[in-house]
Amino acid sequence: MSSESSLVNRRTDLPRCTSQWTEDDLETLQIAVVQSRAYTPRELLSCIVNETIERRAARIKDHLMKYMPPGLALIDFDDFYSVQHDKCRSILYNAQSLPMSYRFRVEPLQEFVEDAWRQSFQVHGELFCKQLIYISWLQETGHAITDHMFLQLFQHFTAMFGLHSIKASCQPPHTSTVCDMEVSSSPDLTFYDLPSCDKDNTKLFAVCRVQRNTGRSDCNDIQPSSKKLQAERQREITHLDAEIISQQGGDLLAHYTSRSSKQQGILGLIVQGTNVTFSEFSCTAIDYEALTQGTPSFPEGTGPKMKFSKPYNILRAGDRIHLIEPLLKLGFLQAILGREGQAVRLTEDHSADDPREAERITKSGGMVIANSLGVQQVDGRLSMTRSIGDIELKSKGVIARPSLKTVTLKHGHDGFLILSSDGLNFVLNDNEVVDIVGICQNPQDAATFITDQALQFGTEDNTTVVVIPLGAWGKYRNTTRPIPYSFGRNLVGGRFG
């Protein structure tokens, strides 16, 4: 039987629900599962996190490590089954020690406004500890412990760092086309880019599966004579079994189209008891199209890949050190208008970098070609994929239909609105622009400053900026954060005789 006819037969066998997927389904779709190496969370998050978020998360992590709240510092157990209920209870309820309100209180960062995050840390830190006290009591008294209890524990833990999730029970299953079939996925938790999350434009950056068991430590199900034995001996990812890997792969593939347009891949989280594993599904728009049409044929070393980190125990202090920064990054990513001093993107860039836009171009007979600076362009000529003009490229998929969105202004929190051309967005990111506006006295000065900064950084396109003040103008003024500086961008913008 040819490989093509085999694939046709497998199409009808592909489970319609990703919770029923097996490793055979991933092999049929030629999704490579990398188990010979454990990636760091930083490596896996690089597909969605920018430099501004990196710097912000690093600063807060350093502050947390220096002034670790006593409640969190006292939570240090090898695993859930070593948690002693009385010891855990004393963390919050000890009249001879600090009051409860101080157990998860974070010291203010000097000259750095993070009040909303600090409040979230304290509230959810206490809830995290209360949930741990509750399920440790259940465990000691012989009561049943469910997956949902660990799910709630993990939700409170991530919310401490500003990362909020939505449970599967609160939303309908997500459907996607794989091999010309409708496949549904209902991960236990989903993480949305909240400012962009509405009924017409939901953006998702991570999905999560939760189970109460802590995963396997070996692979006894592999027969010594099988071809997989040698690969098993080289495995570094030994805590995930084929079932959880296959379910995670199905979830990530099914949700691939709903990810943020800025992501190169989509992120996953696997929670096994109190252990957290990061995963990433990387896939190009062309490869994804082959998967949806049921025609995957990827040369060796190419095609979709799944990567994993090692497990990190949220109850062990040594492991939490490695979780704080990535969770902060995801929390900041989720909260990215200049609202309360932070950038919130209201529009969507229609560029050839967006896999969905690139898909329309290629299906219309156009090509997506990178220029000398690595910028993807339609037929190597136009960076935008939607425009009123450019008549000669209309047959190549360039359309004039805009994306529309309705946002309710909150004048007590919204400081300003910025309208700009792509000459600005190519050299400055959203938070850098917000920081610049934050040091200016009036909107005119802010618009001038922004365009001057773009010219200094070597923009090669026209740059138009309009700054519209709103009710909270000046409320979140930046008096401490430096003006964006980059030696590389200054070098590009420099002129040498």
Side-chain angles (χ1 to χ4, degrees), residues 151 154-156 158-159 162-167 170-171 188-192 194 208 334:
L151 181 147
F154 181 65
Q155 278 189 296
H156 290 311
T158 60
L163 179 60
H164 300 278
S165 55
I166 301 175
K167 289 184 284 190
C170 301
Q171 54 188 331
D188 297 312
L189 296 173
T190 51
F191 298 87
Y192 285 97
L194 294 180
C208 178
Q334 193 175 53

Side-chain angles (χ1 to χ4, degrees), residues 375-447:
V375 178
Q376 301 292 330
Q377 297 179 323
V378 180
D379 281 6
R381 299 166 55 187
L382 182 67
S383 299
M384 297 176 292
T385 54
R386 303 192 188 195
S387 70
I388 298 175
D390 305 294
I391 304 299
E392 66 277 14
L393 293 176
K394 288 294 187 279
S395 62
K396 300 298 180 68
V398 176
I399 61 177
R401 185 173 64 251
S403 295
L404 301 178
K405 183 177 182 179
T406 300
V407 175
T408 301
L409 292 178
K410 300 179 180 179
H411 284 286
H413 301 279
D414 301 336
F416 47 86
L417 176 67
I418 300 173
L419 307 177
S420 66
S421 64
D422 58 349
L424 172 70
N425 302 328
F426 180 67
V427 294
L428 285 168
N429 66 44
D430 296 350
N431 281 303
E432 288 174 330
V433 174
V434 169
D435 284 349
I436 291 174
V437 176
I439 66 172
C440 297
Q441 297 297 319
N442 58 67
Q444 179 63 53
D445 290 345

Side-chain angles (χ1 to χ4, degrees), residues 270-444:
I270 301 171
V271 179
Q272 298 169 296
T274 59
N275 291 317
V276 182
T277 300
F278 292 84
S279 68
E280 183 208 349
F281 177 73
S282 57
C283 182
T284 67
I286 295 175
D287 290 347
Y288 178 76
E289 183 177 358
L291 290 174
T292 58
Q293 294 180 352
T295 58
S297 181
F298 310 117
E300 186 176 355
T302 66
K305 289 184 176 63
M306 286 186 66
K307 306 171 186 176
F308 305 92
S309 74
K310 72 174 189 178
Y312 297 92
N313 186 353
I314 63 177
L315 301 184
R316 187 183 297 135
D319 281 12
R320 277 200 304 272
I321 294 174
H322 304 286
L323 287 173
I324 291 173
E325 192 166 353
L327 292 179
L328 282 169
K329 290 176 183 178
L330 294 177
F332 293 146
L333 175 73
Q334 193 175 53
I336 294 243
L337 220 38
R339 178 163 289 177
E340 297 187 346
Q342 299 303 318
V344 176
R345 178 170 283 268
L346 301 180
T347 60
E348 184 175 349
D349 289 339
H350 297 129
S351 66
D353 288 317
D354 186 336
R356 295 169 300 176
E357 296 291 298
E359 180 181 8
R360 188 184 67 251
I361 298 298
T362 55
K363 283 186 175 181
S364 300
M367 294 186 295
V368 176
I369 304 171
N371 65 11
S372 59
L373 296 177
V375 178
Q376 301 292 330
Q377 297 179 323
V378 180
D379 281 6
R381 299 166 55 187
L382 182 67
S383 299
M384 297 176 292
T385 54
R386 303 192 188 195
S387 70
I388 298 175
D390 305 294
I391 304 299
E392 66 277 14
L393 293 176
K394 288 294 187 279
S395 62
K396 300 298 180 68
V398 176
I399 61 177
R401 185 173 64 251
S403 295
L404 301 178
K405 183 177 182 179
T406 300
V407 175
T408 301
L409 292 178
K410 300 179 180 179
H411 284 286
H413 301 279
D414 301 336
F416 47 86
L417 176 67
I418 300 173
L419 307 177
S420 66
S421 64
D422 58 349
L424 172 70
N425 302 328
F426 180 67
V427 294
L428 285 168
N429 66 44
D430 296 350
N431 281 303
E432 288 174 330
V433 174
V434 169
D435 284 349
I436 291 174
V437 176
I439 66 172
C440 297
Q441 297 297 319
N442 58 67
Q444 179 63 53

